[in-house]
């Protein structure tokens, strides 16, 4: 999904940096709240609410309210476009 | 993707003896004879389990009048996954009003005995406690309209004394979180 959106926006899909978080200590350092976490220029595509840091599966809430293992594509797209615009809001 | 261990279908279900979130012990076999039993692995933190949960609750409510027994089991390592602690399990049952017991497999032995792989991972048993269906609730965790169709068709068949139209599908979800 991320690579699709990057390609659609004229970005290089191969420029994605994939990081594997292996330990709880790594999770603490990265403020990692679950897999997959997607950050664009450091900004999470769906800012964690009160999720605890740790090695776990990430639970996303789609815009229509459904629970999903992946973020809402519109959230991802918006974050990507905001990063391209150089802003954060 | 996990693969269904279809060789178990048709065979006897492993015995089960686990406490629920209030400490009551649930066993398989049990006193009385349910015409069908659904045993499924689930947990609190997995998005697949959470996405399918409401559909499983609906099935339990729909088939309850036919005395179908439902047992939910959580085998995840709560030390590494605190959201799957017994206390967190208890909170969910109370807050959400679960229509079936939520069993705590702290030793993970039940998951090993049943070869459970994912959350969710379902087993449908007949009156003689033979496994008649194993796998996912339906074809798409993201589509509530699927309505746990594979589980429902298996239950309908078992209750009618027939073979389910499919006896195994690939379980889809997060892996069981084994202790290290």
């Amino acid at each position: 999904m991320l690579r699709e959106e990057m390609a659609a926006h004229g970005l290089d899909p191969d420029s994605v940096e994939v990081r594997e978080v292996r330990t709880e200590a790594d999770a603490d350092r990265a403020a990692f709240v679950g897999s997959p976490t997607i950050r664009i220029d450091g900004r999470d595509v769906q800012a964690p609410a009160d999720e605890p840091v740790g090695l776990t599966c990430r639970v996303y809430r789609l815009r229509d309210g459904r629970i999903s293992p992946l973020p809402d594509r519109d959230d991802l797209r918006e974050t990507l476009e905001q990063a391209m615009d150089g802003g954060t809001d | 993707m996990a693969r269904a261990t279809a060789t178990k279908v048709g065979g006897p279900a492993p015995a089960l003896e686990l406490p629920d979130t209030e400490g009551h012990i649930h066993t398989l076999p049990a006193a009385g004879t349910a015409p069908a039993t659904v045993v499924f692995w689930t947990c609190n933190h997995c998005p697949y389990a959470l996405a399918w949960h409401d559909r499983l609750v609906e099935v339990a409510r729909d088939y309850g009048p036919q005395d179908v027994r439902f047992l939910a089991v959580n085998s995840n390592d709560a030390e590494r996954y605190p959201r799957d602690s017994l206390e967190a399990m208890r909170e969910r049952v109370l807050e959400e009003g679960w229509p079936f017991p939520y069993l705590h497999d702290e030793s993970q032995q039940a998951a090993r005995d049943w070869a459970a792989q994912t959350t969710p991972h379902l087993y449908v048993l007949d009156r003689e406690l033979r496994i008649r269906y194993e796998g996912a609730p339906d074809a798409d965790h993201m589509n509530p309209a699927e309505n746990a169709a594979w589980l429902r068709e298996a239950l309908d068949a078992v209750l009618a004394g027939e073979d389910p139209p499919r006896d195994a599908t690939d379980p889809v979800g997060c892996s069981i979180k084994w202790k290290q």
Side-chain angles (χ1 to χ4, degrees), chain A residues 33-36 55-61 66-70, chain B residues 41-54 56 73-74 76 81-84 92 96 98 102 117-121 141-142 171-177:
Chain A
V33 295
S35 178
L55 300 176
T56 187
C57 304
R58 182 104 181 241
V59 177
Y60 287 96
R61 184 70 72 168
R66 286 178 299 159
I67 291 171
S68 169
L70 294 174
Chain B
W41 266 258
T42 188
C43 71
N44 291 353
H45 83 273
C46 168
Y48 295 89
L50 296 175
W52 260 312
H53 181 75
D54 287 349
L56 298 179
V73 183
N74 186 343
N76 281 352
Y81 297 87
R83 286 189 200 175
D84 286 319
R92 271 193 83 196
E96 300 173 12
W98 286 31
Y102 195 11
Q117 301 170 63
T118 60
T119 54
H121 190 159
H141 62 283
M142 290 305 298
V172 174
C174 308
S175 62
I176 300 281
K177 306 309 181 193

Side-chain angles (χ1 to χ4, degrees), chain B residues 29-174:
Chain B
T33 307
T37 302
V38 178
V39 179
F40 68 98
W41 266 258
T42 188
C43 71
N44 291 353
H45 83 273
C46 168
Y48 295 89
L50 296 175
W52 260 312
H53 181 75
D54 287 349
R55 278 173 257 178
L56 298 179
V57 167
E58 285 301 310
V59 174
R61 294 203 165 114
D62 289 347
Y63 287 79
Q66 299 178 72
D67 295 326
V68 174
R69 188 181 184 206
F70 282 77
L71 299 171
V73 183
N74 186 343
S75 298
N76 281 352
D77 177 7
E79 282 198 23
R80 288 195 300 136
Y81 297 87
R83 286 189 200 175
D84 286 319
S85 69
L86 178 60
E87 185 56 35
M89 291 170 59
R90 184 181 297 121
E91 285 177 12
R92 271 193 83 196
V93 169
L94 294 175
E95 289 176 4
E96 300 173 12
W98 286 31
F100 36 67
Y102 195 11
L103 309 185
H104 187 214
D105 178 26
E106 185 175 13
S107 72
Q108 304 187 314
Q109 188 59 49
R112 282 191 287 272
D113 290 345
W114 288 66
Q117 301 170 63
T118 60
T119 54
H121 190 159
L122 282 70
Y123 301 83
V124 175
L125 318 179
D126 62 17
R127 187 182 296 274
E128 287 75 37
L129 302 182
R130 290 175 299 171
I131 297 173
R132 304 299 299 273
Y133 172 75
E134 174 191 1
D138 57 44
D140 187 355
H141 62 283
M142 290 305 298
N143 184 3
E146 286 283 334
N147 200 25
W150 294 346
L151 171 59
R152 289 175 184 272
E153 71 179 15
L155 279 173
D156 289 341
V158 167
L159 291 171
E162 300 169 354
D163 292 330
R166 72 195 93 214
D167 61 10
T169 61
D170 294 327
V172 174
C174 308

Side-chain angles (χ1 to χ4, degrees), chain A residues 31-66:
Chain A
F32 178 76
V33 295
S35 178
T37 283
I38 301 172
R39 292 175 183 159
I40 299 174
D41 288 352
R43 184 182 177 200
D44 200 303
V45 299
Q46 189 177 100
D50 57 353
E51 291 100 315
V53 167
L55 300 176
T56 187
C57 304
R58 182 104 181 241
V59 177
Y60 287 96
R61 184 70 72 168
L62 303 186
R63 293 187 176 190
D64 63 9
R66 286 178 299 159

Side-chain angles (χ1 to χ4, degrees), chain A residues 18 21 24 66-67 69 72 77 81-82:
Chain A
V18 178
V21 180
E24 293 290 348
R66 286 178 299 159
I67 291 171
D72 196 297
R77 184 183 300 118
E81 290 172 350
Q82 287 164 1

